Amino acid sequence: MEEKKFLWGGAISAHQCEGAYNEGGKKPATADTMLGGSLREHWASFGNPIDPSLYYPTHKAIDFYHRYKEDIALFHEMGFNALRLSIAWSRIFPNGGLDNEEPNEEGLKFYDDLFDELLRNGIEPVVTINHYETPLALYEKYGGWKSREMIGLFEKYCRVIFTRYKDKVKTWINFNEINSMMFVGCLGPAIKIGRNDPDFQQVIYQAGHYMLTAGAIATKLCHEIVPGGKIGAMLGGHKIYAYSCNPEDQLLAMLENEKQYYFIDTMMQGGYPYYARRIWETYDLKLDITEEDLKLLKENPCDYLSFSYYQSMTVSSDDTKKLAPGNMSSSAANPYLKSSEWGWQMDPTGLRIFMNELYSRYRKPLLIAENGLGAKDVLVNGTVEDDYRIDYLRDHVRAFQAAMNDGVELMGYLPWGCIDLISCSTGQISKRYGFIYVNLDDEGNGTMKRYKKKSFDWYKHVIATNGREL
Ligand code: BG6
């Protein structure tokens, strides 16, 4: 029996890398309205008119749009056989496809060239259809995924990209970290709403339903159009622990897990999970869900599950517990874990446990689509001695290898931000994840020159030995 190729590579997204936000016929996406700076400025700026006198990190990002050949050559040197990246919807449909808009040929050609360059280098593109950016025109017209109209526009976009790239891209991901909308409205569904807004649950669960329906349509189209195509759901994943054996803590952990699994249960299992009704009743939600939507969900489950994993979360019924910040939200600080410079609690053993939980839940292949350590790197003599990053990654590789040994089917490992890029939560580049350092600062100054960090050679060796030597 032929052994399946394990995907070794990295992951990036369009708005965090490409830049050229208004070149090649592209129009702004929601992400292009977000300022860098303090957390508050970054999030508050979402959806506001673009002020040309201010610095917007995604507008030039790391200039991947113009430098991708150089970057792919470095990925190739590391031995990547896969790269996860996303398509910017507003490069393909600058106005989101409104008013019978035709696709933008220049945008389509950009990704054609990019995928060709990857394939020439022996790197398989793993493509996220929608990674935290929506054409601004759709935000302005509909307020994001608040409207059912978004489903048809997303379908139009998917049909175009599947048809165009069907011979180059076989592995697709629908929405990046779909569950993040439980915490932040503006990223996935492009909805400006605070978590304390009394309508938050109604708005988010409704938008979530439209996205789930659109995701089912994407699965259907992918299977119809892309020969041998596979499409995965994507979870922003955490191992969730109860702080103690107090049943109240255990119950909270159960409820937090439901929040985490609600969307992917629906996408992986072909319909809403049994506990959905209780959630809808708890919040007294009035959802627009049709029989046709439910049929689409039932007939089109995803082929595999991709997920990001940076940390675990610990929940406690005791509100006085010290909190630790996290990728999605804060949770009780776990006294057994160390934290990154941003306070995210590192937990490789949690990854092994989590993978076992996911696999026993779905019995479909998993893909680690993001993992990594955001740190403040210092460039000295043309390199970065990032032993801390190597330690983090080594521990996580060991953990997923242990999970594979437990019997979990894993398609590959694609650590996040394999080249430094713009941080999603802060809009800053000083939170770096890469094996490759990019000379750029948080105000947009720098030469954009690329430098290999110590982790570059480490990862190259890991890939060359297929993970045997860490
Ligand atoms: C994931 C996102 O949540 O975490 C990425 O899919 C993001 O887009 C990554 O960049 C790391 O988060 P941050 O905030 O450190 O960039």
Side-chain angles (χ1 to χ4, degrees):
M1 203 170 72
E2 201 198 325
E3 218 185 302
K4 273 199 209 140
K5 179 179 80 176
F6 187 80
L7 303 179
W8 283 108
I12 58 176
S13 79
H15 70 276
Q16 293 172 273
C17 276
E18 286 177 8
Y21 88 108
N22 59 0
E23 287 179 48
K26 181 181 178 295
K27 288 200 175 163
T30 45
D32 298 322
T33 64
M34 295 176 83
L35 293 163
S38 73
L39 273 184
R40 188 175 309 160
E41 276 166 339
H42 180 61
W43 293 101
S45 54
F46 172 87
N48 292 347
I50 293 174
D51 175 347
S53 68
L54 300 175
Y55 171 61
Y56 291 85
T58 62
H59 290 196
K60 63 177 183 176
I62 60 159
D63 198 28
F64 184 72
Y65 186 80
H66 297 110
R67 293 167 192 254
Y68 68 81
K69 289 194 178 160
E70 181 193 342
D71 296 338
I72 289 171
L74 289 166
F75 298 152
H76 174 70
E77 191 183 328
M78 265 189 285
F80 282 22
N81 62 17
L83 179 72
R84 173 179 175 229
L85 71 176
S86 68
I87 294 179
W89 187 348
S90 60
R91 259 190 215 294
I92 309 301
F93 284 105
N95 292 314
L98 287 172
D99 305 325
N100 298 318
E101 186 186 26
E102 290 293 320
N104 170 33
E105 178 53 33
E106 235 187 305
L108 286 167
K109 168 104 180 25
F110 168 69
Y111 292 108
D112 256 326
D113 294 346
L114 176 55
F115 298 151
D116 286 343
E117 187 67 18
L118 286 168
L119 293 169
R120 258 197 300 279
N121 280 277
I123 301 177
E124 176 185 342
V126 173
V127 174
T128 316
I129 298 170
N130 191 224
H131 191 128
Y132 287 169
E133 59 178 310
T134 301
L136 194 56
L138 300 185
Y139 170 72
E140 285 166 352
K141 174 136 185 169
Y142 298 118
W145 282 86
K146 278 183 190 165
S147 166
R148 185 174 268 282
E149 297 296 321
M150 292 290 287
I151 299 176
L153 293 160
F154 188 77
E155 175 175 358
K156 178 171 165 179
Y157 163 54
C158 287
R159 194 178 286 282
V160 166
I161 57 175
F162 289 150
T163 306
R164 179 78 171 219
Y165 306 124
K166 65 182 186 332
D167 297 323
K168 301 179 184 179
V169 180
K170 300 292 181 184
T171 310
W172 297 83
I173 293 173
N174 50 31
F175 295 101
N176 183 58
E177 297 184 330
I178 187 157
N179 55 313
S180 71
M181 74 177 95
M182 296 282 190
F183 304 97
V184 196
C186 66
L187 292 176
I191 295 175
K192 192 162 190 161
I193 187 164
R195 255 163 96 178
N196 297 327
D197 188 300
D199 286 338
F200 184 80
Q201 309 295 346
Q202 170 65 35
V203 167
I204 289 301
Y205 279 93
Q206 183 61 71
H209 175 72
Y210 293 147
M211 290 173 78
L212 287 168
T213 307
I217 293 173
T219 302
K220 184 167 186 283
L221 291 178
C222 176
H223 291 158
E224 282 169 9
I225 299 173
V226 183
K230 294 189 295 276
I231 184 160
M234 159 85 185
L235 170 73
H238 300 81
K239 165 65 202 147
I240 296 171
Y241 300 109
Y243 196 90
S244 74
C245 52
N246 176 348
E248 290 307 314
D249 286 358
Q250 297 288 334
L251 179 63
L252 272 184
M254 181 190 101
L255 297 174
E256 196 63 38
N257 262 314
E258 287 181 352
K259 222 153 105 185
Q260 162 154 273
Y261 290 131
Y262 173 88
F263 292 108
I264 54 158
D265 273 354
T266 309
M267 288 199 281
M268 299 298 294
Q269 296 172 332
Y272 281 104
Y274 68 91
Y275 54 84
R277 189 156 299 281
R278 169 173 42 78
I279 296 178
W280 299 340
E281 282 171 8
T282 306
Y283 295 120
D284 193 22
L285 305 182
K286 306 276 176 291
L287 297 179
D288 164 28
I289 298 178
T290 68
E291 286 304 317
E292 179 59 18
D293 300 342
L294 295 176
K295 186 162 176 279
L296 278 165
L297 289 170
K298 184 161 185 212
E299 290 173 355
N300 299 286
C302 287
D303 302 312
Y304 70 96
L305 177 69
S306 64
F307 66 99
S308 61
Y309 181 88
Y310 293 90
Q311 60 185 125
S312 52
M313 277 173 79
T314 306
V315 291
S316 167
S317 50
D318 174 358
D319 301 339
T320 62
K321 282 263 172 318
K322 187 170 160 265
L323 292 181
N327 190 11
M328 302 273 169
S329 84
S330 307
S331 66
N334 183 330
Y336 299 100
L337 300 177
K338 293 202 181 105
S339 299
S340 77
E341 285 176 79
W342 272 265
W344 295 13
Q345 293 207 291
M346 301 177 279
D347 184 6
T349 304
L351 174 62
R352 176 179 175 183
I353 305 168
F354 186 52
M355 287 175 65
N356 274 275
E357 285 176 4
L358 290 175
Y359 193 61
S360 68
R361 198 167 182 111
Y362 304 119
R363 299 306 289 265
K364 286 194 181 169
L366 304 181
L367 172 65
I368 301 179
E370 290 183 29
N371 171 239
L373 178 70
K376 285 195 175 125
D377 292 337
V378 184
L379 187 70
V380 179
N381 299 327
T383 189
V384 177
E385 297 287 322
D386 55 346
D387 294 277
Y388 40 89
R389 179 167 294 110
I390 295 172
D391 291 345
Y392 176 100
L393 294 170
R394 183 191 291 117
D395 289 346
H396 285 78
V397 172
R398 281 201 183 116
F400 79 65
Q401 288 176 332
M404 290 171 83
N405 205 33
D406 296 331
V408 172
E409 195 181 342
L410 182 66
M411 293 160 63
Y413 181 59
L414 307 174
W416 176 249
C418 44
I419 179 166
D420 290 348
L421 41 64
I422 303 302
S423 156
C424 175
S425 57
T426 69
Q428 296 172 325
I429 191 161
S430 51
K431 188 178 190 189
R432 296 172 185 271
Y433 287 85
F435 304 108
I436 301 163
Y437 183 93
V438 177
N439 184 321
L440 178 72
D441 71 16
D442 288 339
E443 282 73 49
N445 309 303
T447 61
M448 292 282 185
K449 193 166 161 9
R450 280 54 171 153
Y451 298 86
K452 297 175 199 171
K453 302 182 194 174
K454 187 173 178 184
S455 55
F456 183 102
D457 289 322
W458 173 80
Y459 194 41
K460 182 176 171 180
H461 188 69
V462 171
I463 297 177
T465 60
N466 197 23
R468 276 186 297 277
E469 293 177 20
L470 299 173

